[in-house]
Amino acid sequence: MNNNNFEMSNHSHSQKVLNRSKADGISLFIFDKRQEDDKAISFIYQRHTQAEAMDDYRLRLYKVDSFLQKSVEPNAVQGMAIGVKTKESNFPSTLPSPADPSGIYWRGLGAYGYRQTACMIHPLSKNLHLVIGMQMLQERKNLCVEQALSAMEDWMSDSSDHILENSINILRNECITESPLHQLENIAKGISPREQQVVFEIVQGKSNKEIAKTLCLSNYTIENHLRRIYQKFGVKSRTELIAALNCGRIKSLLHAGEH
């Protein structure tokens, strides 16, 4: 997926999420917990989110976003995390104490008229996290997050694939030797980097549930990947796929890639 296609994909996914969640604004960004200050947050895409609010969040408010910070702690539960935060109607107008991060958070976003926020956080690695953020203005009703979950997961999956694909392409351009992934692509035309990861996990004998846990994806997303993998390999089941892998050189190539 090139950058133009990625932009179109983001537009389509964001529209679905907005329609189902009833949010007023939405954004997609990467949080790099190794970085500090304005380098930690990198916005990839946004619709109807106020530019000033985005800058405020990028510069300081992410530091007092308790759900974001808690979700990226080393002992946090792996996999996608979802949280909703609501501003209390009787929220004090006085300056919040530095010891009250929630007060700082809502005093900041409240200045732009927001009364409710929600986010989905997907770990790309132990340091990098992909985040969908949604905002609701004061005069609107509550965010309908549950109705938007499947659309958000689809957006996360496609965005993760694009980021992974770009990273792999950069590595390929810098590498001299052939990778096992090149061989896999020669057999299954059009297989994506994420699908290659799923195939690799299948070769290890992992179940769908185990693969979902390893790749920090939902079972629903893994099943979708498997359907596309079956089509590209010309098989109709997991058993046929494993048989096809065992009959060729793919299994040994993938195992070789571990060393």
Side-chain angles (χ1 to χ4, degrees):
M1 185 189 301
N2 60 36
N3 288 334
N4 288 335
N5 289 338
F6 185 49
E7 179 73 14
M8 293 176 62
S9 173
N10 285 331
H11 183 82
S12 175
H13 284 303
S14 67
Q15 188 61 56
K16 290 180 182 178
V17 176
L18 284 170
N19 289 341
R20 296 180 188 181
S21 68
K22 310 303 180 184
D24 292 300
I26 195 165
S27 59
L28 179 71
F29 62 90
I30 291 177
F31 173 51
D32 185 347
K33 69 178 187 179
R34 298 168 300 182
Q35 302 294 333
E36 296 180 357
D37 299 327
D38 63 338
K39 296 181 176 61
I41 301 294
S42 300
F43 283 98
I44 299 173
Y45 182 85
Q46 70 84 21
R47 290 187 72 180
H48 311 312
T49 300
Q50 298 177 47
E52 296 85 353
M54 291 172 60
D55 284 341
D56 209 355
Y57 187 87
R58 179 176 58 85
L59 293 172
R60 66 183 184 99
L61 293 180
Y62 79 91
K63 298 178 182 179
V64 290
D65 186 340
S66 57
F67 184 74
L68 175 69
Q69 298 297 338
K70 184 177 180 180
S71 297
V72 301
E73 290 177 353
N75 59 348
V77 177
Q78 294 300 307
M80 290 190 188
I82 302 165
V84 180
K85 302 173 73 173
T86 303
K87 179 181 179 182
E88 299 295 334
S89 57
N90 59 349
F91 203 81
S93 58
T94 57
L95 286 174
S97 164
D100 178 19
S102 179
I104 299 172
Y105 178 85
W106 279 118
R107 186 174 180 83
L109 289 183
Y112 305 102
Y114 296 123
R115 65 167 294 272
Q116 193 174 69
T117 61
C119 67
M120 174 179 278
I121 302 172
H122 171 57
L124 298 172
S125 69
K126 66 179 182 180
N127 293 312
L128 297 174
H129 296 77
L130 188 62
V131 184
I132 295 174
M134 296 183 290
Q135 310 87 37
M136 178 71 78
L137 293 171
Q138 291 183 3
E139 64 267 27
R140 299 289 294 277
K141 297 181 179 179
N142 291 334
L143 286 165
C144 303
V145 177
E146 290 187 1
Q147 288 86 328
L149 286 181
S150 62
M152 292 168 73
E153 284 194 351
D154 288 343
W155 192 7
M156 282 290 196
S157 178
D158 284 353
S159 297
S160 298
D161 283 348
H162 174 76
I163 293 168
L164 178 62
E165 181 180 341
N166 276 2
S167 300
I168 288 178
N169 286 339
I170 291 172
L171 287 173
R172 283 176 178 163
N173 291 335
E174 294 176 350
C175 289
I176 299 175
T177 59
E178 279 278 305
S179 162
L181 297 179
H182 289 84
Q183 302 293 337
L184 188 59
E185 285 183 335
N186 290 337
I187 294 177
K189 299 297 183 182
I191 190 168
S192 73
R194 181 67 78 186
E195 290 163 355
Q196 293 169 9
Q197 285 186 316
V198 174
V199 171
F200 182 86
E201 298 300 328
I202 289 174
V203 171
Q204 313 309 310
K206 293 184 179 180
S207 66
N208 286 10
K209 185 176 181 180
E210 291 171 328
I211 296 173
K213 183 177 180 180
T214 299
L215 300 183
C216 299
L217 298 172
S218 68
N219 288 335
Y220 167 81
T221 301
I222 296 300
E223 289 171 1
N224 282 341
H225 282 311
L226 280 174
R227 281 194 288 270
R228 292 192 287 267
I229 289 169
Y230 293 162
Q231 183 178 12
K232 291 173 183 178
F233 274 90
V235 299
K236 297 181 180 179
S237 68
R238 188 188 188 94
T239 302
E240 289 184 22
L241 175 63
I242 293 174
L245 294 170
N246 286 335
C247 287
R249 297 177 58 233
I250 296 301
K251 187 171 183 179
S252 61
L253 284 167
L254 289 175
H255 277 297
E258 296 178 33
H259 304 294

